């Protein structure tokens, strides 16, 4: 099936079977490999992208459901939280980082940053096995202006 | 030294960092494994007709048509070559690989492979295998040890504590599932692999596929976490090149999350018995520590849990012993803080029990048994500042205010407990080599085969090279993760900074000698004479020389190797960990509210990335204590929770602010760097500190990790797995 997506501001026509997830379409068809596959079943958050401004797990939705949708991946993100992650060393191996950043940018936009506990709760859909969690909280807190 | 943000950090925050499965190759086909659903027996029927006819299918490889493989060498510890016979040794063993033009088609075709099994009786639970336990002949350290007379020491003791402790089977659960891309092109095999050891993979693939080393190249530019499961070589790393050779092109094989529970090793469960004899004043008279862990039926992995007791406390009589019990699972493998990690759960829980038997403060008990020398090897430690760790940790935590009595602290409906434990980790090092070169503009290139798995290797090597050359780190570029670069060991055993770091420093030093000699136009000028100043070289006794005058179009380089010395010292890292837990009195749900770790590890090259290592390790300790277990089902013969909803790893909301710090120290035996490895140390001691804190909160003694709410509700801490 042909589906028209807007990915990082650019129009993309892709030809995919209906069973192809948005994640596989991004990685294997469009070639945007910044979005990661950690579990392929919505448990780890490594594939988090923005669809029309909302954060979702790209492995839990099909590409054909997103005709005309505005999709932002890590390659299209330009947000101060990226520099904050770098400065606070909010990652180690970096594999979960694209998903963490997409979540962090959304978490900030949602305003779920009133306290460290709130940030922790709203960033808990993204697993980091290197466990940079306190540094992730510090980075989000700083961008939220509570540093 | 100075904190520096990661030199590869920008690539990681923009999605530019390429992990194995991110490489884009022409006409890339996708491979999907079909794995056994029973733990033991043989394949009865295998029908691939439908799979072969599926849309897009390019090849279906089973034991019937797979190329014959040759023994794959030492690092292929699995020992059983994949797809070579019809025997089943564990649930999850590969029985077929399906290659198709698209990922979803490969997945569909894989589902069409029909397999039935003749099942054989299988033991999968460690407790059931104990009657078959055996002792290995040799391992990286002696299997048994004995100094002094333990029986006499126990006889003489005023108090004897003898307890059995259990730790659970656990899985590494890297965020990046293992992945191998294999490409055959013009007689060359190139692998893009998620590995902690590119040279191991190359050697195993060369041996298995009968290829010379110069025809196989393994690349691991970025690795999405390892923690041990990407150290040795596992079946998929031989299957991907086999599939690529069969289809004559490029094949990508990525494990599913479920397959990561059976397609490489896991941390085996242990049963450990610790016997401590002590005089009334707390001084130990005897230590006996024995451990048994499960291994597979076809190869051995020993978790040397009792080695920590050989070096931890001053005691005239110490005995240790290790046994293996075979079960029908995939072969276990080292996992972050192997041996000392599970071992210190037992020793440090037993020390807490002894502290309560004697009514001596747990920190004081440890100080009374402080080892100034390795009590088993009889050697001095290379460097040890553990006394300072206890003092600083206690101060930061506020330990002096702790009431000894359990159940004495309460905050509303929360039972509050304070516990502590020591940490120690054996230090590993491996031979390493590196090349450092400089061009006419003063740009430095450091090359070593070693891998970046998240530990900050690029950043630390950049700092060490810059320091050794006397140039700003901004001038230095690091190339890693490629078998065409100078050989190094695995990124494992917390060995990289000391091993590869020393090789880089030696190569940088050799480059300075070379430059000084060129500037002075005489042979072997001392390296100390030369230092870099921007794009010029300053040499004592010679005019400032622009590099452009010394270096032509080709950069000038030097290569060096470093090997661990056999110096007569015992080398370990140490630490003191203090934990506060809060437990809802009705729900018995334990939560860690504070954690303080103070560590003795020699010189710390980069405090920023080192802190990340320590808080990461400490969080692994929270997982070990409260969340992580991989139970097996006796009837089905398999792990029952093969996903991240069933296998719980800590998430952000599980982790409080963590207080991690180091004692200022330089270890002159730790290579040219002066620092021992820290990648695993943080994951040691946290588990028992939390278990001891739970005892302090509730009065329920914990003897099995992880600690489940139902265990506390029952009021017995013997755990389960």
């Amino acid at each position: 099936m042909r589906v028209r997506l807007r990915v990082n501001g650019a129009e993309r026509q892709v030809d995919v079977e209906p069973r192809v997830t948005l994640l596989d379409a991004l990685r294997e068809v469009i070639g945007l490999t910044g979005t990661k596959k950690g579990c392929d079943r919505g448990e780890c958050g490594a594939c988090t992208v923005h669809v029309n401004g909302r954060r979702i797990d790209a492995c839990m939705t099909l590409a054909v459901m997103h005709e005309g949708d505005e999709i932002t991946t890590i390659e299209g993100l330009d947000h101060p939280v990226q520099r904050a992650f770098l400065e606070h060393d909010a990652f180690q191996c970096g594999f979960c980082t694209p998903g963490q950043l997409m979540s962090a940018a959304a978490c900030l936009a949602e305003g779920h940053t009133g306290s460290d506990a709130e940030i922790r709760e709203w960033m808990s859909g993204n697993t980091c096995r290197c466990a940079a969690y306190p540094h992730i909280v510090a980075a989000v807190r700083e961008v939220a202006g509570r540093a | 030294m100075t904190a520096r943000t990661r030199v590869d950090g920008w690539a990681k925050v923009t999605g530019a960092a390429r992990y194995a499965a991110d490489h884009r190759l022409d006409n890339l086909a996708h491979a999907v494994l079909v794995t056994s659903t029973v733990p033991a027996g043989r394949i009865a029927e295998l029908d691939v007709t439908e799979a072969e006819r599926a849309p897009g299918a390019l090849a279906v490889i089973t034991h019937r048509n797979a190329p014959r493989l040759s023994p794959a060498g030492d690092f292929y510890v699995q020992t059983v070559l994949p797809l070579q016979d019809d025997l089943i040794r564990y649930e999850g063993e590969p029985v077929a690989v399906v290659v198709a033009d698209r990922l979803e088609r490969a997945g569909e075709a894989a589902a069409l492979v029909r397999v039935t099994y003749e099942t054989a009786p299988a033991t999968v639970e460690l407790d059931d295998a104990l009657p078959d336990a055996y002792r290995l002949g040799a391992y990286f350290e002696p299997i048994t040890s004995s100094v002094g007379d333990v029986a006499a020491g126990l006889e003489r003791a005023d108090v004897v504590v003898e307890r059995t402790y259990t730790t659970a089977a656990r899985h590494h659960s890297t965020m990046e599932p293992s992945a191998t891309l294999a490409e055959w092109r013009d007689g060359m095999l190139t692998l893009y692999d998620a590995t902690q050891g590119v040279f191991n993979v190359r050697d195993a693939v060369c041996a298995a596929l009968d290829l010379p080393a110069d025809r196989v190249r393994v690349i691991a530019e970025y690795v999405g976490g390892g923690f041990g499961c990407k150290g040795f070589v596992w079946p998929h790393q031989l299957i991907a090149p086999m599939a690529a050779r069969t289809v004559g092109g490029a094949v990508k094989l990525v494990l599913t999350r479920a397959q990561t529970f059976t397609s490489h090793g896991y941390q085996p469960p242990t049963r450990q018995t610790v016997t401590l004899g002590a005089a009334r004043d707390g001084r130990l008279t005897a230590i006996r520590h024995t451990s048994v862990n499960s291994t597979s039926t076809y190869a051995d992995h020993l978790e040397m849990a009792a080695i920590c007791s050989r070096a931890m406390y001053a005691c005239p009589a110490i005995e240790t012993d290790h046994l293996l019990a075979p079960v029908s699972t995939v072969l276990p493998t080292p996992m972050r803080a192997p041996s000392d990690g599970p071992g210190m759960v037992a020793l440090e829980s037993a020390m807490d029990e002894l502290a309560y038997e004697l009514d001596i403060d747990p920190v004081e008990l440890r100080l009374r048994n402080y080892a100034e020398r390795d009590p088993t090897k009889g050697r001095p430690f290379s460097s040890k500042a553990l006394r300072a760790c206890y003092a600083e940790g206690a101060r930061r935590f506020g330990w002096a205010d702790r009431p000894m009595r359990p159940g004495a602290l309460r905050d509303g409906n929360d039972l509050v407990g304070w516990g502590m434990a020591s940490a120690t980790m054996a230090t590993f090092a491996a031979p390493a080599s590196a090349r450092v070169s400089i061009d006419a503009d003063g740009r430095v290139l450091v090359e070593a085969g070693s891998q970046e798995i998240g530990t900050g290797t690029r950043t630390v090597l950049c700092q060490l090279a810059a320091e050794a050359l006397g140039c700003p780190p901004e001038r230095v570029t690091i190339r890693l993760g490629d078998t065409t670069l100078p050989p190094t060991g695995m990124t494992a055993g917390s060995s990289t900074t000391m091993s590869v770091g020393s090789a880089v420093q030696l190569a940088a030093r050799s480059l300075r000698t070379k430059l000084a000699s060129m500037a002075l136009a005489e042979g072997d000028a001392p390296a100390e004479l030369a230092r870099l100043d921007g794009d010029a070289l300053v040499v004592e006794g010679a005019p400032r020389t622009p590099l452009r005058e010394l270096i032509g179009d080709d950069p000038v380089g030097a290569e060096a190797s470093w090997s661990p010395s056999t110096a007569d010292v015992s080398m370990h890292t140490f630490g003191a960990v203090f934990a506060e837990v809060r437990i809802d009195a009705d729900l018995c749900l334990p939560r860690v509210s504070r954690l303080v770790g103070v560590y003795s590890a020699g010189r710390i090259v980069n405090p920023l990335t080192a802190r990340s290592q320590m808080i990461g390790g400490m969080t692994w300790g929270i997982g070990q204590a409260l969340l992580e277990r991989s139970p097996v089902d006796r009837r089905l013969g398999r792990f029952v929770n093969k996903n991240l909803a069933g296998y719980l790893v800590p998430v952000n909301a599980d982790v409080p602010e963590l207080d991690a710090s180091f004692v200022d120290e330089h270890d002159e035996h730790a290579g040219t760097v002066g620092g021992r490895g820290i990648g695993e140390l943080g994951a040691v001691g946290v588990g028992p500190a939390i278990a001891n804190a739970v005892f302090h909160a509730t009065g329920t003694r914990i003897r099995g990790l992880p600690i489940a709410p139902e265990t506390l509700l029952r009021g017995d801490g013997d755990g389960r797995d």
Side-chain angles (χ1 to χ4, degrees), chain B residues 426-475:
Chain B
T427 298
F428 297 89
S433 53
R435 183 165 52 236
V436 179
S437 48
I438 187 165
D439 70 10
D441 295 323
R443 285 179 302 220
V444 176
L445 179 65
V446 173
E447 296 170 292
S450 185
Q451 306 70 212
E452 157 61 15
I453 65 169
T455 58
T457 299
R458 278 196 188 89
T459 310
V460 165
L461 293 183
C462 169
Q463 291 178 275
L464 290 171
E467 177 193 66
L469 285 172
C471 73
E474 290 73 20
R475 307 290 279 176

Side-chain angles (χ1 to χ4, degrees), chain B residues 587-718:
Chain B
L587 300 173
C588 288
L589 190 68
R591 294 287 231 164
V592 177
S593 46
R594 284 197 299 141
L595 210 48
V596 173
V598 182
Y599 299 100
S600 157
R603 177 185 175 208
I604 297 304
V605 177
N606 184 335
L608 181 68
T609 54
R611 183 182 142 80
S612 290
Q613 284 283 54
M614 301 324 289
I615 64 170
M618 290 163 84
T619 303
W620 274 59
I622 295 174
Q624 178 191 41
L626 301 178
L627 299 169
E628 295 180 39
R629 58 188 281 259
S630 302
V632 281
D633 182 296
R634 282 189 168 96
R635 197 168 40 93
L636 297 170
R638 58 189 292 189
F639 292 112
V640 296
N641 56 343
K642 298 191 291 186
N643 54 65
L644 292 173
Y647 186 85
L648 302 180
V649 301
V651 297
N652 208 321
D654 293 315
V655 183
E657 264 310 309
L658 301 174
D659 181 352
S661 59
F662 295 94
V663 173
D664 193 25
E665 189 187 349
H666 186 100
D667 187 337
E668 61 178 25
H669 298 282
T672 62
V673 176
R676 305 186 292 281
I678 56 167
E680 292 162 305
L681 177 62
V684 186
V686 174
I690 292 171
N692 294 339
V694 168
F695 169 75
H696 188 241
T698 62
T700 299
R701 180 53 73 180
I702 302 300
R703 299 195 185 97
L705 296 186
I707 305 160
E710 54 267 36
T711 314
L712 295 176
L713 282 166
R714 275 202 313 271
D716 81 64
D718 283 347

Side-chain angles (χ1 to χ4, degrees), chain B residues 26 91 221 268 286 337 342 366 418 450 455 480 492 506 551 596 603 618 678:
Chain B
D26 291 340
E91 188 268 335
E221 202 181 344
R366 285 160 176 86
W418 291 1
S450 185
T455 58
L480 295 178
L506 291 174
I551 302 171
V596 173
R603 177 185 175 208
M618 290 163 84
I678 56 167

Side-chain angles (χ1 to χ4, degrees), chain A residues 36 38 89 92-93 129 133, chain B residues 6 12 19 22 172 612 650:
Chain A
K36 304 301 184 216
D89 210 37
Q92 288 201 271
C93 79
R129 187 56 159 162
Y133 298 126
Chain B
R6 287 169 199 262
K12 290 180 179 180
Y19 300 80
D22 299 341
H172 306 71
S612 290

Side-chain angles (χ1 to χ4, degrees), chain B residues 433-623:
Chain B
S433 53
R435 183 165 52 236
V436 179
S437 48
I438 187 165
D439 70 10
D441 295 323
R443 285 179 302 220
V444 176
L445 179 65
V446 173
E447 296 170 292
S450 185
Q451 306 70 212
E452 157 61 15
I453 65 169
T455 58
T457 299
R458 278 196 188 89
T459 310
V460 165
L461 293 183
C462 169
Q463 291 178 275
L464 290 171
E467 177 193 66
L469 285 172
C471 73
E474 290 73 20
R475 307 290 279 176
V476 181
T477 302
I478 309 289
R479 275 192 69 207
L480 295 178
D482 190 331
T483 49
T484 60
L485 301 177
T488 67
M490 285 195 275
T491 303
S494 311
S495 65
T496 303
T497 297
M498 190 201 307
S499 308
V500 186
S502 294
V504 166
Q505 286 194 318
L506 291 174
R509 198 183 159 77
S510 165
L511 177 60
R512 274 172 69 184
T513 303
K514 205 176 212 176
L515 292 172
S517 306
M518 286 163 72
L520 292 171
E522 63 187 48
D524 287 337
E528 289 73 21
L529 290 183
R531 70 183 168 81
L532 289 169
D533 180 15
D535 54 4
L537 186 75
V538 181
V539 182
E540 262 176 63
R544 187 173 188 278
T545 320
L547 288 170
R548 213 160 262 298
E549 289 178 15
L550 291 173
I551 302 171
D553 291 341
D554 293 329
V556 174
E559 200 162 326
S561 298
W562 178 85
S563 286
S565 76
T566 50
D568 218 16
V569 291
S570 176
M571 193 177 281
H572 299 256
T573 48
F574 296 96
V577 182
F578 296 80
E580 177 184 88
V581 297
R582 286 168 178 269
I583 302 166
D584 181 288
D586 300 315
L587 300 173
C588 288
L589 190 68
R591 294 287 231 164
V592 177
S593 46
R594 284 197 299 141
L595 210 48
V596 173
V598 182
Y599 299 100
S600 157
R603 177 185 175 208
I604 297 304
V605 177
N606 184 335
L608 181 68
T609 54
R611 183 182 142 80
S612 290
Q613 284 283 54
M614 301 324 289
I615 64 170
M618 290 163 84
T619 303
W620 274 59
I622 295 174

Side-chain angles (χ1 to χ4, degrees), chain B residues 138-143 302-304 307 310 334 338-340 426 428:
Chain B
Y139 218 54
F140 69 89
E141 289 278 338
I143 305 296
L302 184 61
E303 202 65 31
M304 296 203 76
I307 54 166
R310 294 179 186 171
S339 300
D340 292 285
F428 297 89

